[in-house]
Amino acid sequence: MTTIENPTAAGSGTAATDKFKGAKFTAETTPERLSAIATEAFAGFSALIQKHAITYPEYRVLKQWLIDVGEGGEWPLLLDVFVEHDIEEVNSRQLEGTKGSIEGPYYVPGAPVLPARCTLPMRDEDRAHPALVLRGQVTDLRSNGLGGAVIELWHADDEGFYSQFAPHLPEWNLRGTVVTDSDGRYEITTIQPAPYQIPTDGPTGQFIEAAGWHPWRPAHLHLRVTFPDKQPIITQLYFAGGEWIDDDVASATKPELLLDPQLDEQGRKVVDYDFKLDPALY
Ligand code: MBD
Ligand code: FE
């Protein structure tokens, strides 16, 4: 069996760009709002250039690097790592339910539909690791169970690879669309992912290295929880005490999103987590 040392930029960044491009997103932004935001953005660049007396060699390296980010398909990766956490924060200020977190570049809709008590699709290699059981209930803000709520779960494997972004994995490995029971309850068996390293061989990784930063995210589960007329929750769950929890390159951890699984008699790591959904706001 071959082991792959690092996720490659070619295998992950580009795939994220291709998937994103297909969706054709739009937004309702007035010319006035666009002008105001763009004016301040360029004023910010202007202030930085003046303050640091940016040189022509630095300007040309920046230009080439921006070209490389696009050609390498790494805009989704770069933006989700360094920018999305603020977008998530300003758009969840009014919400009272379960805390959200960034979506990141690796969500794929249409994962296999699974019943409320289920095991995510996984390989024999994955099955060799201790089982992680995540269970709980999806409710509204008054704790009424939301029967038939949908939990989409996606996460990396024990080596930090995501299916559809690493060519050696089956298409839907460690991805599922779980339908809760009539009380909104669920019990999903999976494995605990490893910490995730941003691909180091592309422009995002080169920049992180050149700046002397580190490319790590703590181990995390991605979730998207939906129910008609409720605000969808996109979030991540982390593991208390895990590496990089307090130093996530994507600045996307929150204390409310830490799990502390406990071993049961069968050697499984078991943890409860409930999701509370706000009424739909936007
Ligand atoms: C990830 O797995 C992730 O969650 C984010 C936000 C960025 C890159 C890879
Ligand atoms: Fe992730």
Side-chain angles (χ1 to χ4, degrees), residues 102-106 154-156 162 196 217-218 220-222 236:
I102 65 176
E103 179 176 320
Y106 300 149
W154 68 103
H155 67 84
Y162 283 86
Y196 179 86
R217 299 210 61 222
H220 57 279
L221 307 173
H222 290 273
Q236 301 186 31

Side-chain angles (χ1 to χ4, degrees), residues 24-271:
K24 298 271 185 289
F25 295 101
T26 60
E28 283 162 28
T29 306
T30 62
E32 292 73 23
R33 177 172 164 83
L34 176 58
S35 174
I37 293 168
T39 298
E40 284 187 45
F42 287 116
F45 287 128
S46 175
L48 275 177
I49 293 163
Q50 300 284 338
K51 178 178 172 193
H52 296 278
I54 308 274
T55 65
Y56 254 104
E58 288 170 333
Y59 176 64
R60 293 189 185 108
V61 166
L62 170 67
K63 211 191 254 185
Q64 184 61 57
W65 180 76
L66 291 170
I67 292 167
D68 293 344
V69 171
E71 288 182 353
E74 287 200 7
W75 279 113
L77 179 68
L78 186 82
L79 290 169
D80 292 351
V81 168
F82 292 114
V83 177
E84 191 186 354
H85 65 95
D86 277 321
I87 302 285
E88 192 283 320
E89 196 262 317
V90 301
N91 285 281
S92 62
R93 279 180 188 160
Q94 339 66 313
L95 302 175
E96 292 166 28
T98 301
K99 294 284 183 201
S101 183
I102 65 176
E103 179 176 320
Y106 300 149
Y107 169 68
V108 185
V113 175
L114 303 168
R117 301 170 68 93
C118 63
T119 300
L120 290 191
M122 65 174 80
R123 305 164 302 160
D124 290 344
E125 297 95 300
D126 301 315
R127 240 175 266 281
H129 299 287
L132 172 72
V133 180
L134 179 69
R135 64 187 184 194
Q137 189 181 23
V138 180
T139 73
D140 65 12
L141 292 182
R142 296 196 185 112
S143 300
N144 299 306
L146 299 175
V150 171
I151 303 175
E152 290 170 276
L153 176 59
W154 68 103
H155 67 84
D157 64 15
D158 178 70
E159 295 183 297
F161 294 112
Y162 283 86
S163 59
Q164 303 195 37
F165 300 90
H168 66 293
L169 295 175
E171 188 176 21
W172 297 108
N173 209 54
L174 301 175
R175 295 177 182 269
T177 301
V178 181
V179 182
T180 62
D181 72 12
S182 56
D183 295 324
R185 295 192 183 277
Y186 72 95
E187 181 178 313
I188 303 168
T189 301
T190 183
I191 56 163
Q192 190 165 326
Y196 179 86
Q197 185 182 190
I198 304 299
T200 49
D201 57 335
T204 305
Q206 287 163 358
F207 155 66
I208 289 170
E209 162 131 36
W213 300 353
H214 76 74
W216 291 98
R217 299 210 61 222
H220 57 279
L221 307 173
H222 290 273
L223 302 111
R224 184 168 177 274
V225 185
T226 53
F227 189 83
D229 300 321
K230 300 294 179 206
Q231 185 65 22
I233 294 176
I234 295 171
T235 194
Q236 301 186 31
L237 295 173
Y238 304 89
F239 298 91
E243 249 189 312
W244 313 110
I245 285 289
D246 298 316
D247 195 15
D248 177 6
V249 67
S251 310
T253 62
K254 298 181 185 184
E256 297 88 345
L257 301 177
L258 293 179
L259 301 176
D260 191 9
Q262 302 296 315
L263 282 180
D264 71 1
E265 320 74 59
Q266 299 158 62
R268 309 179 308 171
K269 304 177 196 175
V270 180
V271 63

